[in-house]
Amino acid sequence: DGGITQSPKYLFRKEGQNVTLSCEQNLNHDAMYWYRQDPGQGLRLIYYSQIVNDFQKGDIAEGYSVSREKKESFPLTVTSAQKNPTAFYLCASSILHSSYEQYFGPGTRLTVT
Amino acid sequence: QKEVEQDPGPLSVPEGAIVSLNCTYSNSAFQYFMWYRQYSRKGPELLMYTYSSGNKEDGRFTAQVDKSSKYISLFIRDSQPSDSATYLCAMSAANSGYALNFGKGTSLLVTP
């Protein structure tokens, strides 16, 4: 079964703690993306990567970090510097230069109290 | 002004109705136009994408792009309760490399 997996589905953390969200894909896609979705809002791009060991900031990268050590994996760390970390986080992937055809994972709902 | 505007609804229709969902945009460089369906607490699912102007049909779904008016539409024929979801439009410019600009989504409820 080809697809994108994100784990865990729900995550709870205390304020001040860093937390890492997992994203894995077996679609053989070069490009991967992280988005944040808040209630009643569209998706906002956090980071994206088009190739292993390279990634670029999106519109709202402050307080987040990523790594891309393997083609299949693109973990996102939400750091304590992120002021409003509670949100629904979505990972997506696409063929290189085909960002218009992005496929999304099921998402991770992060709650920070 | 946000680049992509989408009425959040909610939109409620009876089963079997034709549904029209719309987005407007301000950036004339947008050339790719996408529609995603998102069920509650799930990731968005790509329904279809269109390049430049024109129509595209896939089963009960038809996407229309009018670049002169900067207006895109998604029509759903013979709507079903299983179509109840939030529909997100997204757009990108050919030279943007990565950036998708999303609308906020329209919540649709199809009642039996």
Side-chain angles (χ1 to χ4, degrees):
Chain A
D1 251 353
I4 303 175
T5 57
Q6 291 185 245
S7 60
K9 190 171 182 179
Y10 299 97
L11 192 52
F12 298 88
R13 279 294 182 271
K14 295 288 187 187
E15 199 173 311
Q17 293 178 334
N18 291 356
V19 59
T20 297
L21 282 57
S22 166
C23 177
E24 304 275 334
Q25 55 97 1
N26 61 3
L27 299 168
N28 200 31
H29 286 169
D30 289 295
M32 296 187 74
Y33 315 81
W34 273 107
Y35 293 89
R36 170 186 174 133
Q37 186 176 33
D38 294 284
Q41 300 294 317
L43 277 63
R44 292 184 290 168
L45 183 66
I46 305 172
Y47 268 98
Y48 72 102
S49 168
Q50 294 181 312
I51 194 170
V52 172
N53 293 323
D54 189 44
F55 45 83
Q56 283 76 41
K57 293 181 180 179
D59 301 320
I60 55 165
E62 185 176 349
Y64 300 97
S65 66
V66 293
S67 63
R68 186 88 187 274
E69 296 177 2
K70 298 187 299 181
K71 185 176 180 178
E72 302 80 18
S73 179
F74 191 39
L76 173 75
T77 296
V78 184
T79 75
S80 56
Q82 169 49 233
K83 291 185 174 57
N84 295 298
T86 294
F88 190 44
Y89 290 89
L90 289 157
C91 179
S93 69
S94 74
I95 296 170
L96 198 59
H97 305 307
S98 298
S99 63
Y100 51 84
E101 198 170 356
Q102 294 184 22
Y103 294 90
F104 284 82
T108 292
R109 188 165 300 275
L110 173 65
T111 303
V112 176
T113 56
Chain B
Q1 180 194 8
K2 204 166 158 37
E3 282 196 302
V4 180
E5 299 282 357
Q6 185 176 11
D7 187 335
L11 179 63
S12 182
V13 302
E15 183 175 356
I18 296 175
V19 176
S20 172
L21 303 165
N22 312 294
C23 289
T24 59
Y25 62 96
S26 57
N27 188 345
S28 57
F30 288 152
Q31 292 195 42
Y32 290 94
F33 304 91
M34 284 67 72
W35 285 98
Y36 286 85
R37 177 175 62 195
Q38 185 176 26
Y39 292 111
S40 182
R41 303 178 187 274
K42 304 288 187 185
E45 170 195 6
L46 178 64
L47 287 174
M48 53 205 312
Y49 71 87
T50 309
Y51 175 70
S52 194
S53 282
N55 294 2
K56 188 172 185 178
E57 188 173 318
D58 185 0
R60 296 185 295 112
F61 297 89
T62 299
Q64 281 187 354
V65 174
D66 182 349
K67 292 192 75 179
S68 62
S69 301
K70 296 190 177 68
Y71 188 88
I72 71 169
S73 300
L74 178 71
F75 297 96
I76 307 174
R77 290 184 300 281
D78 187 24
S79 56
Q80 303 294 311
S82 58
D83 294 328
S84 299
T86 296
Y87 290 80
L88 298 156
C89 65
M91 309 175 188
S92 72
N95 62 353
S96 70
Y98 65 91
L100 292 190
N101 294 270
F102 281 87
K104 291 186 178 182
T106 298
S107 176
L108 171 66
L109 178 64
V110 181
T111 56

